[in-house]
Amino acid sequence: MSTLRDNWRIVLLVVLLLASTVALFVPGAPPGTSANESAGGDQLTNLQYGIDLSGGARIEAPVVGMTAEGINVSVNDEADAQQAIADRLGIDPLDVEVRGVEERGENGTVEVYNENVTEDEFRTALEDEGYQPTTIRDGVTAETRERMVSVIEDKISTSALSGGRVQDVNSPGGQNFISITAPGRDADELIDILNERGVVRVYAVYQNDSTGNWTQQEVLGQDDFRNIGNAQEQDNQPQVPVVVRDGPAERFQNDMAEAGFGGGASCGVDASDHDSVDTIEGTCLVTTLNGEPVFIGGVQQSLGQSFADGSFADDPSFVMTTTSMAEARDLQLSLQAGRLPADLDFESGTQNTLSPALADQFRTNSLITGLLAVLAVSLVVYVRYRRREVALPMIVTALSEVYILLGFVAMAQYPLNLSHLAGFIAVIGTGVDDLIIIGDEILQQGEVGTARVFQSRFRKAFWVIGAAAATTIVAMVPLVGFPLGDLSGFAIITIVGVLIGVLVTRPAYGDILRNLVLDE
Amino acid sequence: MVAFEVPEVDYTQYSNRQLIAIPLVVLAVALGVLAVTYAMTGSPVALGNDFTGGSEIKVQSSEPISEQQATDLFGDTVVSVQEVSGQDQYIITFERSADVSDLTDTAEEADGITVLQSGSTSAVFGEQSQRFALMGVGIAFLGMSLLAFALFRTFVPSIAIVISAFSDIVIPVAIMNLVGIKLSLGTVAALLMLIGYSVDSDILLNNHVLRRSGGFYESTYRAMRTGVTMTLTSIAAMTVMAIAATLFGIDLMASIGIVLVLGLTADLMNTYMLNVTLLRWYKYEGVNR
């Protein structure tokens, strides 16, 4: 037993190596993964690869909008204030968000998500409504960004992009932005999905009998649907079945009956002829997606009848037909995932796309590069010491450091990119440096007679190692906090690697050497 | 196979002035390069797309692409075309006014060209990264300096570490300017790694000379034996990485490798000429003052 206790550092190393093996190779071992899932990774290990190594797209972009702070508006007046401010600015109420004050001392905010509104216009509109904003700044509130993140996540997962990551990235003193990573897609596809705010509206278009003017009345909005069916094709007609919520269903049926759809309506207008609902002249039910009509159709007599006699509300379902299957899918997606509170400003962001073929190349080649670097290190170490019992444990220890770090990365399900591999190489480099310090200190100052002499030399070597590790960590810490994308990942890997080295593997190497030296 | 021993340098042959002159001249030249670059471009280092904004696509092409051909195909926004050695791959860089989706479409439509990678950074974003990268390197350097002073608590040995780390960063940056490697997020990472590597050998040397028994020259030799082995090991690893990554066309790893090889070589000079001299002066003259 005492051997075990004396060599507890080696025992710890072995335990961690085994744990890393489990984390790396046992399917489903890392938390949040299941045995058969391998999105963004490969089948062999539990490692997650970022877009550099698996292909895909990453987009970082700020949210379009302005925020006025210090607005004194109560929660109950939010809706009225929203409408009033939107009217003054001449924009859609959807582009205005009012967050009222629930308790005294809270900071009420008004956000505008329309890039055409200037700060002055915004301030004037607010003052005309009797509010005194303390500040007006670029950017939106944290609540809005959170909602952006969750809607984007929904959009990405409903569009069958698996393994995407969406993050709200804070820059201290700078612009906040949303970072979106999606493996296996290119940036254009991703932007197409995101560019659409996904605003769905349903209008009833009808003619006033006396004046002959056409009225476009909004009868259903995005949030009025209870259930959205899958886009499907029936009788060569792409369609999306929908069910309306109870409250809105009643309002919808009354509106429709009043508008004169009670007896059904034949429409006779083609959706592909119109860019906007305003130009449509025909008694039609119109669905728009981001303002563009995707469905223009009449109302079947039986459906019209149900509006008139009030039975529609008992079974508030109908189908929206579209001109193409692609449109039907877009419509379904927008209805399901909801709309983005605001647009993303892609022009002021970054975007990257990497083809899976190149990523595959990178993966294999960077592995080879890493192995070659290790080989070079081993060669130099061996040539320098010419003693297998010194050089071999050194190389094995340095490699186990990398192995444990890989285990950690697999456990954390951290997606690996090229910059992280650079971090691994930095870790091998400092790791071997430190082992050389230990080796030299112990071996090259005359015979090691007793365990006590060994201990004292080891402690001396460790002072240098600890000091060097501390400086490396100090040098890397600021990067972790800054929104520098890959650079932050590199810093995290390096810090964790140095910690594993100082706390586990380098002390273990000392124990290994002691056994070798004192046995002689 | 030949074994290598770190040769013992007879420092007694050289005066402090002689020893310190070379690293100081090199540092001065490097600073001069940065100053000239600053005067000419308004920035002491050539900034890459990550920091200035701009677009870049990497394509696989069955036929060689010259700058002229690229301009014919994509228009006047083409800034440069760089061939990835031996892979039939080309990196085409564009001004930031170019729209990367249009460029990708154009490239996809052209015969024999496949787009492997595309990226764009807006000017706003680049500026922000620039600010944070500068702050990052600044804070890292400051933190390292404070730690050096905390470890040794005497002025000369601590400032020796700081100066030599500074020089270790400035020299590779100057060479990058000369050979045309632009500063990217990847090379910033390499410069930060240099802080770590550079300090390793300096701390080792200071520790041996100041905190151990034994004469100055003997301590210095012991520290050198370990320190030079360390640095050579790292240089070997980084040389191999730089060469392999260049052949494979992994730019990020290649530039990290090159920057580190340059920096580590500069570190050998700075540690064993600059730092040693400052320590010798401190040991024999400074302490008595």
Side-chain angles (χ1 to χ4, degrees):
Chain A
M1 268 325 273
S2 77
T3 356
L4 265 189
R5 200 164 54 228
D6 286 346
N7 294 306
W8 65 272
R9 296 184 185 90
I10 303 180
V11 175
L12 181 63
L13 176 66
V14 172
V15 168
L16 279 182
L17 283 175
L18 290 176
S20 299
T21 309
V22 172
L24 276 169
F25 295 109
V26 175
T33 62
S34 64
N36 48 16
E37 179 199 54
S38 66
D42 60 20
Q43 309 294 326
L44 197 65
T45 67
N46 291 325
L47 285 174
Q48 288 281 318
Y49 296 112
I51 62 159
D52 283 359
L53 300 175
S54 67
R58 181 179 52 230
I59 293 177
E60 292 166 323
V63 180
V64 174
M66 258 186 299
T67 306
E69 291 182 26
I71 304 289
N72 191 14
V73 56
S74 80
V75 176
N76 298 331
D77 298 336
E78 277 178 10
D80 293 340
Q82 180 186 18
Q83 188 65 49
I85 295 166
D87 287 348
R88 286 211 183 260
L89 291 169
I91 57 176
D92 195 314
L94 282 181
D95 281 341
V96 177
E97 174 82 48
V98 179
R99 291 179 206 276
V101 182
E102 257 171 284
E103 290 163 34
R104 278 170 61 94
E106 261 187 344
N107 182 11
T109 58
V110 177
E111 291 161 84
V112 166
Y113 308 130
N114 189 313
E115 56 190 344
N116 297 324
V117 176
T118 66
E119 196 181 316
D120 287 342
E121 287 169 356
F122 187 28
R123 186 178 291 275
T124 312
L126 286 171
E127 282 167 359
D128 287 351
E129 282 300 312
Y131 302 113
Q132 278 91 39
T134 49
T135 50
I136 293 185
R137 60 172 175 87
D138 265 342
V140 297
T141 56
E143 288 88 353
T144 303
R145 290 200 309 276
E146 258 166 51
R147 220 168 75 217
M148 292 285 293
V149 168
S150 84
V151 174
I152 294 171
E153 269 169 358
D154 279 354
K155 270 178 178 284
I156 290 183
S157 57
T158 37
S159 70
L161 290 170
S162 65
R165 266 166 203 259
V166 187
Q167 271 178 305
D168 172 17
V169 182
N170 287 308
S171 330
Q175 209 173 16
N176 296 311
F177 55 88
I178 310 262
S179 162
I180 305 147
T181 311
R185 291 297 162 117
D186 69 34
D188 279 355
E189 280 176 273
L190 200 54
I191 288 180
D192 278 347
I193 294 171
L194 298 173
N195 239 340
E196 310 280 310
R197 251 169 96 183
V199 181
V200 178
R201 288 185 171 118
V202 179
Y203 295 88
V205 182
Y206 54 91
Q207 193 170 28
N208 189 309
D209 287 338
S210 48
T211 62
N213 289 336
W214 290 95
T215 307
Q216 288 86 21
Q217 184 188 356
E218 187 180 337
V219 286
L220 283 175
Q222 192 113 28
D223 305 327
D224 293 338
F225 296 95
R226 188 171 70 204
N227 189 20
I228 316 294
N230 282 329
Q232 49 185 267
E233 209 161 332
Q234 241 169 36
D235 307 330
N236 276 334
Q237 184 67 271
Q239 53 183 235
V240 182
V242 294
V243 182
V244 183
R245 274 180 217 284
D246 289 342
E250 210 142 312
R251 201 189 62 221
F252 174 57
Q253 88 180 1
N254 294 341
D255 286 348
M256 290 300 281
E258 271 172 40
F261 286 84
S266 61
C267 169
V269 177
D270 196 359
S272 52
D273 293 341
H274 292 272
D275 294 335
S276 153
V277 70
D278 298 330
T279 56
I280 296 170
E281 297 187 343
T283 312
C284 303
L285 193 59
V286 180
T287 304
T288 62
L289 178 56
N290 301 312
E292 194 160 320
V294 288
F295 158 61
I296 300 178
V299 171
Q300 277 172 4
Q301 201 163 2
S302 55
L303 184 61
Q305 197 61 46
S306 73
F307 290 144
D309 63 20
S311 61
F312 175 78
D314 300 334
D315 176 23
S317 60
F318 65 102
V319 292
M320 295 185 188
T321 54
T322 59
T323 46
S324 74
M325 206 46 202
E327 253 174 19
R329 270 194 221 100
D330 277 355
L331 184 62
Q332 179 206 342
L333 191 67
S334 299
L335 284 168
Q336 276 174 345
R339 62 180 175 85
L340 284 175
D343 281 325
L344 286 169
D345 183 7
F346 296 111
E347 302 277 300
S348 319
T350 66
Q351 58 181 79
N352 280 290
T353 308
L354 216 109
S355 77
L358 187 65
D360 264 357
Q361 254 179 46
F362 278 173
R363 204 158 62 195
T364 323
N365 292 346
S366 55
L367 185 68
I368 298 174
T369 308
L371 289 178
L372 285 175
V374 169
L375 202 70
V377 168
S378 316
L379 214 67
V380 175
V381 167
Y382 183 73
V383 170
R384 174 72 182 80
Y385 291 100
R386 309 285 297 166
R387 283 170 71 178
R388 222 175 309 151
E389 72 268 26
V390 179
L392 207 63
M394 222 178 243
I395 294 159
V396 170
T397 314
L399 284 180
S400 56
E401 209 165 296
V402 172
Y403 191 75
I404 294 174
L405 191 52
L406 274 175
F408 169 83
V409 167
M411 203 64 192
Q413 289 291 290
Y414 198 85
L416 277 181
N417 273 329
L418 278 177
S419 62
H420 303 127
L421 299 184
F424 276 92
I425 292 169
V427 167
I428 299 183
T430 51
V432 171
D433 278 5
D434 289 355
L435 300 181
I436 291 174
I437 294 177
I438 298 177
D440 274 8
E441 189 72 49
I442 285 165
L443 298 171
Q444 311 226 332
Q445 296 191 31
E447 282 301 297
V448 182
T450 61
R452 182 190 288 259
V453 174
F454 183 92
Q455 271 307 331
S456 124
R457 286 183 185 175
F458 182 75
R459 219 172 280 139
K460 277 183 187 164
F462 219 75
W463 190 87
V464 179
I465 294 170
T471 23
T472 308
I473 292 175
V474 165
M476 293 297 167
V477 160
L479 286 186
V480 177
F482 287 154
L484 286 168
D486 283 351
L487 220 51
S488 312
F490 159 76
I492 292 171
I493 296 284
T494 311
I495 290 173
V496 174
V498 167
L499 285 176
I500 292 173
V502 172
L503 299 178
V504 184
T505 54
R506 292 162 211 179
Y509 176 70
D511 273 6
I512 296 173
L513 257 192
R514 187 186 58 206
N515 287 323
L516 291 172
V517 173
L518 292 182
D519 276 355
E520 278 173 7
Chain B
M1 208 193 297
V2 283
F4 82 87
E5 264 295 316
V6 176
E8 187 161 2
V9 182
D10 187 3
Y11 279 107
T12 51
Q13 280 184 5
Y14 309 99
S15 72
N16 283 347
R17 250 169 233 266
Q18 283 174 322
L19 273 174
I20 211 167
I22 299 172
L24 285 186
V25 166
V26 175
L27 178 60
V29 170
L31 286 172
V33 170
L34 298 195
V36 169
T37 319
Y38 182 77
M40 277 165 30
T41 64
S43 155
V45 270
L47 298 172
N49 271 349
D50 285 352
F51 296 119
T52 58
S55 303
E56 201 176 84
I57 61 175
K58 186 174 191 175
V59 297
Q60 180 97 46
S61 170
S62 46
E63 277 167 40
I65 302 177
S66 70
E67 208 145 310
Q68 187 54 48
Q69 281 162 313
T71 312
D72 291 346
L73 188 57
F74 298 105
D76 290 333
T77 51
V78 174
V79 174
S80 70
V81 179
Q82 187 197 336
E83 188 184 356
V84 179
S85 49
Q87 305 261 322
D88 294 334
Q89 291 171 0
Y90 299 85
I91 297 169
I92 311 174
T93 314
F94 301 89
E95 282 170 22
R96 56 174 177 249
S97 59
D99 180 63
V100 75
S101 345
D102 293 348
L103 298 173
T104 315
D105 293 343
T106 313
E108 289 288 0
E109 279 160 22
D111 285 335
I113 294 183
T114 327
V115 178
L116 295 174
Q117 188 177 6
S118 70
S120 76
T121 304
S122 72
V124 187
F125 220 82
E127 248 164 59
Q128 182 164 318
S129 298
Q130 205 174 321
R131 202 172 67 241
F132 284 123
L134 195 68
M135 275 163 69
V137 174
I139 295 177
F141 195 82
L142 195 74
M144 180 276 294
S145 310
L146 290 178
L147 205 62
F149 275 90
L151 286 172
F152 292 103
R153 292 185 196 165
T154 34
F155 183 73
V156 174
S158 313
I159 202 74
I161 295 182
V162 175
I163 296 175
S164 105
F166 176 72
S167 177
D168 285 354
I169 294 177
V170 170
I171 293 172
V173 171
I175 301 179
M176 278 165 63
N177 277 350
L178 292 178
V179 299
I181 300 177
K182 286 184 175 167
L183 196 70
S184 64
L185 286 175
T187 42
V188 169
L191 294 177
L192 287 169
M193 265 194 242
L194 267 181
I195 295 184
Y197 278 120
S198 154
V199 167
D200 269 9
S201 55
D202 294 330
I203 290 181
L204 185 79
L205 178 67
N206 280 6
N207 183 53
H208 271 77
V209 171
L210 299 176
R211 296 170 46 114
R212 299 283 169 85
S213 53
F216 175 81
Y217 293 104
E218 193 197 336
S219 302
T220 303
Y221 176 60
R222 278 205 200 131
M224 263 186 97
R225 216 165 38 183
T226 307
V228 171
T229 309
M230 277 160 49
T231 309
L232 284 181
T233 319
S234 306
I235 290 182
M238 290 306 151
T239 310
V240 169
M241 180 169 111
I243 295 172
T246 308
L247 292 178
F248 288 137
I250 312 177
D251 324 322
L252 178 81
M253 289 177 109
S255 40
I256 288 181
I258 293 168
V259 170
L260 279 173
V261 170
L262 293 172
L264 288 168
T265 314
D267 185 49
L268 277 181
M269 176 188 75
N270 285 323
T271 307
Y272 303 108
M273 294 180 89
L274 182 74
N275 202 349
V276 161
T277 316
L278 287 172
L279 276 180
R280 185 167 69 176
W281 180 85
Y282 172 76
K283 207 69 190 169
Y284 289 112
E285 292 165 51
V287 184
N288 300 328
R289 288 202 177 180

